[in-house]
Structures are given as structure tokens and as C-alpha cells.
Amino acid sequence: QIALYIWQKGEGPHLTPVPEFCTDDVNSNKVDHCATTFSNFLPLCGEPVKKEDVFVAVKTCQKFHGDRIPVVKQTWEREAARIEYYSDDADTSIPTIDLGVPNTDRGHCGKTFAILERFLNHSFPRTPWLVIVDDDTLISIFRLRKLLSCYDPNEPVFLGERYGYGLGTGGYSYITGGGGMVFSRIAVQKLLASKCRCYSMDAPDDMVLGMCFSGLGIPITHSPLFHQARPMDYPKDYLSHQIPVSFHKHWNIDPVKVYFTWLAPNTEESHNGKKVEYNREDL
């Protein structure tokens, strides 16, 4: 908004680039020429949450079993101690669990609420944290466990990348699903104890959840480390200031490269017995 105000539809003053105002890391070899630098770090407020305290639910469907699920298994699945795949078809080779909810082309509200019910009543009943991701979400469970050390699982927590709907006219905030939605168990308990449910099976699950939590007076907790899109969809300097937790979508990218470049515990990882190192500029 400030930039548009200064720009004045092309009639305003031109901006002056000053290379000394750098967006380089404090350890960069350019630091001696920078008036500004930054250091990025992952929030850590104590010991990382235990692997067994995070349950991961992956939403998928039969048509994506052959291309998206193998990516999950090649990348971040190994970081998750407790993970289940939910689909419209029970495939023992993955394996997937058929929740009895037909796949929809649009929103997946029915499937998501079925996952919440299963988490609360059937899946590791004392696990304090639930993460729901899409089958084309790339996520670092290793980093998420560090981030969750900053939150109290005994409080109703709904965490991820916050979007807004109609905020100027009495709308609500919501956690966008593609980047991953994180719930404390108590948040799921409060949600399911309420009467707030999907207005249709194919309603947008993330927006319905935002509406429900808003009605319950439970605030959305935003973290810029979750991302609804791919690395290439963000300004390079924006991403250089953070250690990301997730990205979303496989369109026109190599998702395995994206994971090992941006999200793996180290920027160099051994993959299929070979050491790989990727340039973030290409992704």
C-alpha cells in the first residue's frame, strides 16, 4: 500500500536502489559492504517436540496415489513417527485408509472432518499435535517439531499460514490448507464438541475451519514459515529471511529437488546413495 501511494500511478518519485542495504546473511562474504544484514533462525523455545507427539494426516485420492505419494515417501515421510494416508480407496501398498468419504473435485471439508474425528477417537488418542497436509505438500517435520516447542499443547492452538476472508466486513481468518494445518488436541476437542460442521461435503475445509474457530473465539496463529505455494512463487529476498517449514504444489517443478534444497534437515542430503546439492536460485 505504501509503494502504491508513493508510485501515484507513475507520477510519483522514482525509487532509488541502494546496494548497501543488503538482504544478505550475516555470514555472507558481502557483509563488509552492507549497511544492513540479517540472521535467520528457527524459533526454538525449549526442547523440540518429540516425534511421537506429532501425528501427520495426509489427504490424498486414488488418482494421485501413483505420482504424489511416492514423492512423500522419497522426502519427508521418514521424519514422521506417526503418519496415515487418507483416501477414497484403500490401497494396501501405501497403505491408505478409506474414510468412506467420496473424493470431491473442489473442497474437502467432509474428508477433513472425518480425519479430525478419527484423530480424536481412534488414532493415538493421547498424541497432543495433529498436522493435516495435502499429498502435494512438502513439509519439514523436523523443523515443525522445533517450532511447536513455542506453543502449549494444553491450549487450543490452530497454526499455519493465515489468510483472510471478508475481514473488512465482519469476515474471519483461516489457515490455508496447502501449507499444512496444525492443531493441538484440545483445539480439535473444542471444535468437534461444537455444532460447527461443513455446510457441504465439498466446502473448502480450511475456510470452514477458520469460520468455526472464529465462532468459538479461538484465534488463528499465523506463521510465515508455512507456504501455500512453491518457492519460485515468492520473492527471493523474502525467503532468504526465513527457514521455511513447508511449501505446496508440484506444478512445473521437481518436488524432490525442492524438498532437499529448502526443507531437508541439511542443505546437502544423501539421496539414493548419492550426495546432492541444489541451487536455490533455480527453484
Side-chain angles (χ1 to χ4, degrees), residues 51-52 56 58 69-83 85 139-142 145 256 259-260 263-265 268-274 276:
K51 291 179 71 171
E52 294 75 20
V56 185
V58 182
I69 299 304
V71 172
V72 177
K73 290 183 175 295
Q74 289 177 63
T75 56
W76 60 266
E77 185 195 63
R78 70 194 72 179
E79 297 180 39
R82 293 175 171 171
I83 183 171
Y85 295 86
I139 189 168
S140 171
I141 303 299
F142 176 79
R145 288 168 46 219
V256 176
Y259 171 79
F260 282 105
L263 298 169
E268 288 188 354
E269 283 287 323
S270 176
H271 180 52
N272 292 336
K274 298 179 181 178
V276 292

Side-chain angles (χ1 to χ4, degrees), residues 165-172:
Y165 175 76
L167 293 177
T169 55
Y172 52 87

Side-chain angles (χ1 to χ4, degrees), residues 132-196:
I132 299 180
V133 296
D134 293 344
D135 52 10
D136 59 347
T137 299
L138 298 168
I139 189 168
S140 171
I141 303 299
F142 176 79
R143 295 176 185 173
L144 176 62
R145 288 168 46 219
K146 289 187 175 183
L147 179 62
L148 288 179
S149 71
C150 297
Y151 300 96
D152 185 352
N154 297 311
E155 296 291 332
V157 178
F158 186 34
L159 170 69
E161 183 180 22
R162 182 177 62 194
Y163 277 26
Y165 175 76
L167 293 177
T169 55
Y172 52 87
S173 296
Y174 63 96
I175 298 301
T176 179
M181 299 183 290
V182 183
F183 308 77
S184 63
R185 176 170 289 274
I186 188 65
V188 178
Q189 289 173 339
K190 288 181 176 292
L191 172 65
L192 296 184
S194 75
K195 295 181 180 180
C196 194

Side-chain angles (χ1 to χ4, degrees), residues 37-59:
T37 58
F38 74 95
S39 57
N40 54 21
F41 61 92
L42 194 66
L44 182 64
C45 305
E47 288 296 317
V49 168
K50 296 178 181 177
K51 291 179 71 171
E52 294 75 20
D53 285 344
V54 180
F55 178 77
V56 185
V58 182
K59 292 187 301 181

Side-chain angles (χ1 to χ4, degrees), residues 164-231:
Y165 175 76
L167 293 177
T169 55
Y172 52 87
S173 296
Y174 63 96
I175 298 301
T176 179
M181 299 183 290
V182 183
F183 308 77
S184 63
R185 176 170 289 274
I186 188 65
V188 178
Q189 289 173 339
K190 288 181 176 292
L191 172 65
L192 296 184
S194 75
K195 295 181 180 180
C196 194
R197 293 295 187 273
C198 307
Y199 55 83
S200 68
M201 294 296 281
D202 65 347
D205 53 351
D206 49 6
M207 297 183 75
V208 170
L209 287 168
M211 183 172 57
C212 290
F213 280 120
S214 176
L216 289 169
I218 296 174
I220 300 299
T221 303
H222 170 70
S223 170
L225 306 181
F226 297 80
H227 301 88
Q228 169 68 13
R230 308 163 300 172

Side-chain angles (χ1 to χ4, degrees), residues 239-256:
L239 292 181
S240 70
H241 287 243
Q242 59 177 237
I243 298 175
V245 166
S246 71
F247 289 105
H248 180 227
K249 300 174 184 174
H250 294 177
W251 299 340
N252 299 319
I253 61 170
D254 181 337
V256 176

